[in-house]
Amino acid sequence: MLRAFLRTSRPAAVPPPADDEADVLLDAPDDRLAPALVAAAGGDHGPAAALLAATRDGGEWERRDRCATRLAAFARARSAWFEHWHATAPDDPGALLVGARLAVDRCWDSPARAELLRQVAPAVTAATRAGGPDPVPWRVALDAARGARAGHAVFEGLWEQAVRRSPHHYGCHVAALEYLAASSPHAHRECLDFAERAAQDAPEDALVRALPLHAAFVCLTRTGPDGSAREPARGVDRSRLHAAADRAIALSAAHPPADPWPAELRNLLAYVLVRLERPREAAEQLRLTGPYVTSFPWDRDADDPLGRFLQVRGNLRAALADTGPAAGSRHPRTGRGGRFCPGGH
């Protein structure tokens, strides 16, 4: 499926918000990850190794992906515990996975990203070789290939390895979606096609059913070759973007409120709903997410994702207070009701 889409596609600072930060938590870990991070802060890698071993043994690939990403981010700031882990257990699949994720992340923001990513390829390869049935190292490999501007044939080979291990892994699909979007400034319809088919084929409870929402985000936040923001992609049927949001609203409703697990889904959904000028539904997703703010997608617009979140939340509250329940509840696709300006776009 990805091959067909690849072949059809052509090769700001935010002011400090006047809002209360006491009721929100940025990138808060869940109950399983938190003890591992606390132990790592004290220099003990044991709980992190045990957590990743448990996710591997249980085939919890989505959780394993999230945990590896968070552990790599922590190791980027405080590396001693990870260096000790890698030195004492160099063949541990968990250590190799975190090491690969860490190596790729360290290269990502550099102007020389493509060349640096080629240099860390051995770390990524080591993680994939040790991974066995685990798709997560292949997600890291897909990210690295995108950053290194690998050709379609190389990316397709990695993609086949990933979906052979887990045909519905969300992280691998996000990596493929981002690669497809980067392959051409005109690939947005192909991105939506790819995401919608992946969601349609997935089990009812699979996280990849939220992939159309990520595709909508890509369409609404496209950038130029230099990374500068552009207007939302033209020629994209807006009804498809609204349908992606509607599907994600249903997915959100299947999870309890104030739960850290669906927090990123709800933050992304709120962001997309704001862009689609559906403020009341965006505010409802912020209510459901409770205190759990995630850096993505708010870091898309600002270096301070928490400040950006608080600014948008404040704007939403003000807009809904001004319009009142009747006006705020009108569906934006009807063309009625007040416009909401998210600010900073």
Side-chain angles (χ1 to χ4, degrees):
M1 180 172 60
L2 179 66
R3 182 183 295 111
F5 292 130
L6 286 172
R7 289 177 178 171
T8 57
S9 62
R10 302 172 190 171
V14 176
D19 209 334
D20 182 11
E21 300 186 19
D23 62 338
V24 293
L25 301 168
L26 181 65
D27 296 328
D30 63 21
D31 290 343
R32 293 176 65 182
L33 178 59
L37 292 174
V38 170
D44 181 7
H45 66 268
L51 173 60
L52 288 183
T55 59
R56 176 185 167 94
D57 293 344
E60 299 177 82
W61 305 132
E62 306 295 0
R63 187 178 295 277
R64 182 174 178 81
D65 196 354
R66 289 190 182 188
C67 289
T69 298
R70 293 295 304 278
L71 289 167
F74 190 77
R76 191 174 179 181
R78 302 178 66 173
S79 62
W81 67 276
F82 173 72
E83 291 169 357
H84 184 253
W85 181 14
H86 192 264
T88 56
D91 297 324
D92 183 338
L96 290 170
L97 173 59
V98 173
R101 180 81 270 173
L102 175 60
V104 170
D105 290 349
R106 280 174 169 166
C107 299
W108 202 260
D109 295 329
S110 171
R113 176 173 66 190
E115 178 58 33
L116 292 174
L117 285 171
R118 296 185 189 103
Q119 294 176 17
V120 302
V124 178
T125 300
T128 59
R129 287 177 175 171
D134 180 7
V136 183
W138 295 96
R139 187 261 170 91
V140 179
L142 290 168
D143 286 338
R146 172 168 62 92
R149 297 194 289 271
H152 288 354
V154 172
F155 197 88
E156 287 170 8
L158 299 172
W159 170 253
E160 289 171 1
Q161 292 290 334
V163 296
R164 182 183 303 169
R165 288 161 172 78
S166 179
H168 306 297
H169 182 249
Y170 180 69
C172 290
H173 279 77
V174 168
L177 178 68
E178 296 281 1
Y179 180 87
L180 183 60
S183 67
S184 166
H186 309 289
H188 294 92
R189 278 190 289 270
E190 287 87 349
C191 288
L192 285 166
D193 291 343
F194 172 68
E196 288 166 359
R197 288 193 189 179
Q200 182 177 356
D201 294 342
E204 192 69 27
D205 60 345
L207 187 59
V208 77
R209 290 177 69 87
L211 194 66
L213 180 71
H214 198 103
F217 169 80
V218 168
C219 291
L220 291 165
T221 61
R222 69 188 189 124
T223 58
D226 61 352
S228 59
R230 288 182 174 178
E231 290 299 313
R234 296 179 180 178
V236 174
D237 185 348
R238 298 280 290 189
S239 67
R240 296 179 73 181
L241 306 184
H242 285 289
D246 292 340
R247 184 196 295 267
I249 288 172
L251 289 172
S252 173
H255 294 277
D259 183 349
W261 177 254
E264 185 173 297
L265 166 65
R266 286 170 171 156
N267 277 257
L268 179 58
L269 178 52
Y271 185 103
V272 170
L273 288 168
V274 166
R275 286 296 190 100
L276 292 175
E277 298 183 37
R278 296 168 63 172
R280 188 161 298 281
E281 290 158 299
E284 173 62 9
Q285 291 306 313
L286 296 186
R287 184 191 70 80
L288 289 172
T289 202
Y292 299 110
V293 182
T294 56
S295 290
F296 176 78
W298 309 108
D299 57 4
R300 170 63 179 72
D301 296 329
D303 293 333
D304 176 12
L306 180 57
R308 178 62 179 150
F309 168 86
L310 292 170
Q311 182 189 44
V312 170
R313 187 178 69 172
N315 288 351
L316 276 171
R317 290 174 174 174
L320 294 176
D322 289 343
T323 59
S329 63
R330 291 172 185 161
H331 201 288
R333 279 176 275 181
T334 66
R336 298 187 298 273
R339 283 180 60 84
F340 168 68
C341 179
H345 296 308

